[in-house]
Amino acid sequence: MPVHFIPAFTDNYIYVAETPKGAWIIDPGCAEPVLDWCAEHTLRPSAILCTHHHADHTGGVEALAQYFGIPVYGANPRIPGLTHAVAEGRLTLDAEMLTVLEVPGHTRDHIAYWWKNVLFCGDTLFAAGCGRLFEGTAAQMFHSLQRLAALPDHTAVYCAHEYTLTNLRFAAQADPDNPVIVQRQKEAIAQRARNEPTLPSDMALERASNPFLRCREPALIRSANAFDPATGDDPVRVFSALRRWKDHFS
């Protein structure tokens, strides 16, 4: 099933996922580029899926829902125009079966949608990184990332921002002897030079190169303790140290 990219703002991606019986808009932070894209491709969407309530993911929801007359799915009542509140479990939409995963951490009620080995994960998992902890705890985010990391190797990871180059620079600092990160950096630099997205990633690549999924690895434990000597080897504390380090990384 095709998944289309609609760039928005500085580094957001809005996605349109086509199915045989419909098309879903995922995390529309603004309406105008989506309306233009749908007009250009003569496509009428059938639903809007939101991963969380932040404005750069929901700012276009009401306008699009009203224009197309379509339902809005999400977990947070603050999502503008929400018509269908969803939680952990299965969701049937346009004769397709999606799995809704509760993945708190970035926000308390962040969700992800897994569909035919395609993952729309919003701001929880990024290519070579993860979201900031705005509402949730380090323990929540760690366990949410572990849930996503348990998905099949070939799961295509569609996150909501083009943060890959910055994330890989941090990953190379935190895990300096990892050859997968070195190769991934080369490929991502070339993609961005061609003005191409670095996404989707896949789960096998994330498990091999994303420091936030590798908090039990000796190299990441050493790096976390170099940043904060009180960290120890507990994976949640390692994650917390890495996340705090990344927050101040430039």
Side-chain angles (χ1 to χ4, degrees):
M1 306 287 183
V3 178
H4 306 283
F5 290 75
I6 302 176
F9 308 121
T10 303
D11 50 38
N12 282 68
Y13 289 127
I14 301 167
Y15 295 112
V16 176
E18 286 193 72
T19 78
K21 295 186 179 181
W24 313 323
I25 307 168
I26 294 93
D27 281 353
C30 52
E32 291 78 5
V34 179
L35 292 170
D36 291 344
W37 189 93
C38 289
E40 180 182 352
H41 293 83
T42 61
L43 183 144
R44 185 176 184 85
S46 55
I48 297 170
L49 306 180
C50 297
T51 61
H52 63 296
H53 67 275
H54 286 164
D56 63 321
H57 297 254
T58 62
V61 168
E62 276 193 305
L64 292 168
Q66 291 173 6
Y67 184 86
F68 291 112
I70 55 178
V72 178
Y73 294 80
N76 190 304
R78 285 181 284 176
I79 294 171
L82 183 71
T83 61
H84 292 70
V86 297
E88 179 88 17
R90 299 295 180 89
L91 170 64
T92 301
L93 187 58
D94 296 327
E96 298 286 334
M97 181 70 74
L98 299 85
T99 300
V100 177
L101 300 169
E102 294 179 351
V103 284
H106 181 68
T107 64
R108 283 189 295 272
D109 48 13
H110 199 299
I111 58 174
Y113 301 90
W114 184 45
W115 164 70
K116 293 186 181 295
N117 287 313
V118 170
L119 177 69
F120 298 108
C121 50
D123 287 358
T124 296
L125 174 66
F126 291 130
C130 73
R132 290 177 180 266
L133 305 180
F134 286 123
E135 296 177 5
T137 67
Q140 286 177 318
M141 181 65 99
F142 173 81
H143 291 297
S144 292
L145 291 171
Q146 292 297 300
R147 291 196 71 195
L148 298 182
L151 294 174
D153 286 357
H154 55 281
T155 298
V157 177
Y158 287 89
C159 51
H161 291 273
E162 183 58 71
Y163 289 163
T164 309
L165 290 181
T166 300
N167 288 342
L168 284 169
R169 285 196 295 271
F170 175 76
Q173 291 287 315
D175 197 3
D177 298 320
N178 187 330
V180 181
I181 294 172
V182 174
Q183 181 60 32
R184 192 174 184 184
Q185 278 186 302
K186 293 178 182 178
E187 294 172 357
I189 290 168
Q191 287 171 311
R192 296 309 293 153
R194 297 190 297 267
N195 199 33
E196 296 174 355
T198 58
L199 303 169
S201 176
D202 66 60
M203 201 57 73
L205 181 58
E206 293 307 315
R207 283 197 295 269
S209 57
N210 190 322
F212 297 103
L213 302 186
R214 307 180 70 245
C215 295
R216 293 182 173 89
E217 296 294 323
L220 278 303
I221 294 171
R222 287 194 298 270
S223 290
N225 279 273
F227 172 75
D228 180 355
T231 298
D233 61 1
D234 176 78
V236 174
R237 291 179 63 85
V238 171
F239 170 82
S240 178
L242 292 173
R243 182 62 263 181
R244 286 184 282 116
W245 181 14
K246 178 63 163 58
D247 288 343
H248 301 289
F249 181 80
S250 60

